[in-house]
């Protein structure tokens, strides 16, 4: 089966600075991929190139066999690739329901004539209510977005990114700003909803517990390059990933201990 997303030999330079170097990634339909790396490693540059916010200096990006390299973000969104941002992009003075209605109206606007249609239409309202329930924010339907807890704002932002019914969704640190107590509940809701909608997911994340629990595969970035592309059980104990990505944080210590246990069990089995 052909990959839904194929990135071949992309590079991105800003003057003398290389932000992405020879990136090659093939993504299968329905995969869930975690993108990890320290700040400045090239994660967001990669996401920006896939979604059209940056044009690669060289290389190609294909979506479902079609070359989308350098296309405008709006066009890429219409083709079926959507994204959310680290800081939730919501209309702070509008209600949760109206945020979704506005997003749905924008998604359906393909011409000046279509933009003149009334926003309050039965079909759109039904879709908005379905998204509210799917992302479990229907209790906040009439709440103004500026009053929402951070987790609910994140869920609203992701629901708004899904109004165009994309085939691929890219998320930028979905648990950023979320408390330790809430992060798994939030991700359970998000991943359940996206699985129900049959979406391929790539998300940037610094929390290795989230990566370990939810992804099928990890892309680890360092200095603009992918230094590891493997399942989390392998990637998170990879020596280069531990050294250059996870580092000395408590989660890094945990991964080092796992790597040591893995090595020890391997030595025992070879004896």
């Amino acid at each position: 089966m052909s990959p839904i997303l194929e990135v071949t030999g992309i590079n991105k330079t800003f003057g003398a600075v290389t932000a992405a170097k020879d990136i090659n990634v093939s993504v299968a339909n329905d995969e869930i991929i975690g993108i990890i790396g320290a700040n400045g490693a090239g994660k967001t540059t990669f996401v920006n190139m896939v979604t059209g916010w940056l044009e690669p200096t060289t290389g190609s990006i294909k979506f479902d066999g079609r070359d989308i390299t350098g296309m405008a973000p709006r066009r890429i969104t219409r083709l079926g690739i959507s994204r959310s941002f680290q800081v939730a992009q919501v209309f702070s003075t509008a209600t949760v329901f109206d945020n979704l209605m506005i997003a749905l109206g924008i998604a359906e606007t393909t011409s000046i004539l279509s933009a003149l249609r009334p926003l309050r239409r039965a079909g759109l309202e039904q879709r908005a209510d379905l998204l509210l329930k799917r992302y479990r924010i229907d209790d906040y339907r009439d709440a103004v977005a500026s009053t929402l807890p951070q987790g609910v704002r994140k869920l609203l932002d992701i629901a708004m990114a899904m109004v165009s019914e994309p085939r691929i969704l890219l998320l930028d640190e979905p648990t950023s700003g979320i408390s330790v107590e809430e992060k798994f509940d939030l991700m359970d809701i998000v991943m359940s909803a996206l699985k129900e909608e049959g979406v391929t997911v790539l998300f940037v994340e610094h929390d290795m517990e989230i990566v370990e629990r939810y992804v099928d595969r990890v892309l680890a970035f360092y200095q603009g390059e992918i230094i590891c592309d493997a399942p989390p059980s392998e990637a998170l104990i990879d020596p280069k990933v531990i050294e250059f990505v996870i580092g000395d944080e408590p989660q890094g210590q945990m991964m080092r201990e796992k790597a040591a246990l893995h090595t020890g069990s391997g030595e025992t089995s070879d004896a």
Side-chain angles (χ1 to χ4, degrees):
M1 184 180 294
S2 299
I4 189 171
L5 180 69
E6 190 164 16
V7 176
T8 306
I10 63 170
N11 297 272
K12 182 63 182 178
T13 58
F14 298 95
V17 177
T18 300
K21 182 179 179 182
D22 195 27
I23 304 298
N24 295 277
V25 176
S26 182
V27 179
N29 201 39
D30 295 332
E31 266 195 299
I32 300 173
I33 296 177
I35 302 172
I36 65 174
N39 292 333
K43 309 180 301 297
T44 301
T45 298
F46 171 74
V47 170
N48 284 340
M49 288 190 290
V50 170
T51 54
W53 292 89
L54 281 176
E55 184 174 354
T57 305
T58 58
S60 68
I61 303 170
K62 291 184 179 180
F63 169 58
D64 203 20
R66 179 174 182 172
D67 194 336
I68 62 169
T69 312
M71 280 189 184
R74 186 174 179 83
R75 189 176 177 193
I76 289 175
T77 298
R78 291 201 178 281
L79 288 175
I81 299 178
S82 191
R83 73 176 293 181
S84 74
F85 294 84
Q86 182 178 349
V87 178
Q89 305 294 298
V90 301
F91 300 98
S92 60
T93 60
T95 66
V96 169
F97 181 75
D98 284 342
N99 265 275
L100 284 170
M101 289 297 292
I102 293 167
L104 285 161
I106 293 171
E108 291 208 345
T109 300
T110 57
S111 66
I112 294 176
L113 186 62
S114 65
L116 297 176
R117 290 181 297 177
L119 189 59
R120 295 280 181 174
R121 304 196 301 275
L124 288 189
E125 291 180 341
Q126 289 172 359
R127 287 182 61 193
D129 280 325
L130 177 61
L131 285 165
L132 288 171
K133 291 178 182 177
R134 182 167 288 161
Y135 289 88
R136 302 185 194 179
I137 52 175
D138 43 322
D139 286 347
Y140 296 90
R141 187 182 192 274
D142 298 318
V144 176
S146 61
T147 68
L148 298 174
Q150 180 66 7
V152 178
R153 284 174 67 91
K154 287 276 189 176
L155 290 170
L156 173 59
D157 182 51
I158 295 169
M160 290 171 68
M162 288 300 299
V163 298
S164 60
E165 300 180 341
R167 295 180 62 195
I168 296 178
L169 179 65
L170 293 101
L171 305 174
D172 194 352
E173 298 190 40
T175 64
S176 175
I178 306 301
S179 70
V180 173
E181 295 77 18
E182 295 176 315
K183 66 181 183 180
F184 291 127
D185 289 340
L186 180 138
M187 285 300 292
D188 284 345
I189 293 170
V190 171
M191 301 315 292
S192 175
L194 296 178
K195 184 176 181 179
E196 184 178 345
E197 297 184 70
V199 181
T200 301
V201 183
L202 294 86
F203 68 86
V204 175
E205 185 55 70
H206 285 287
D207 189 322
M208 295 305 118
E209 289 183 322
I210 294 294
V211 172
E212 186 175 33
R213 182 165 175 168
Y214 293 101
V215 310
D216 305 317
R217 177 178 160 202
V218 174
L219 301 178
F221 280 75
Y222 176 67
Q223 294 188 345
E225 299 183 67
I226 294 177
I227 59 171
C228 185
D229 179 351
S233 60
E234 298 175 19
L236 298 183
I237 61 171
D238 183 275
K240 289 190 292 185
V241 173
I242 292 174
E243 180 179 0
F244 297 123
V245 179
I246 302 174
D248 295 325
E249 297 298 321
Q251 289 184 348
Q253 180 60 36
M254 179 178 66
M255 296 306 167
R256 277 190 290 274
E257 291 172 358
K258 286 187 177 183
L261 288 172
H262 182 268
T263 302
S265 64
E267 290 172 354
T268 301
S269 62
D270 291 340

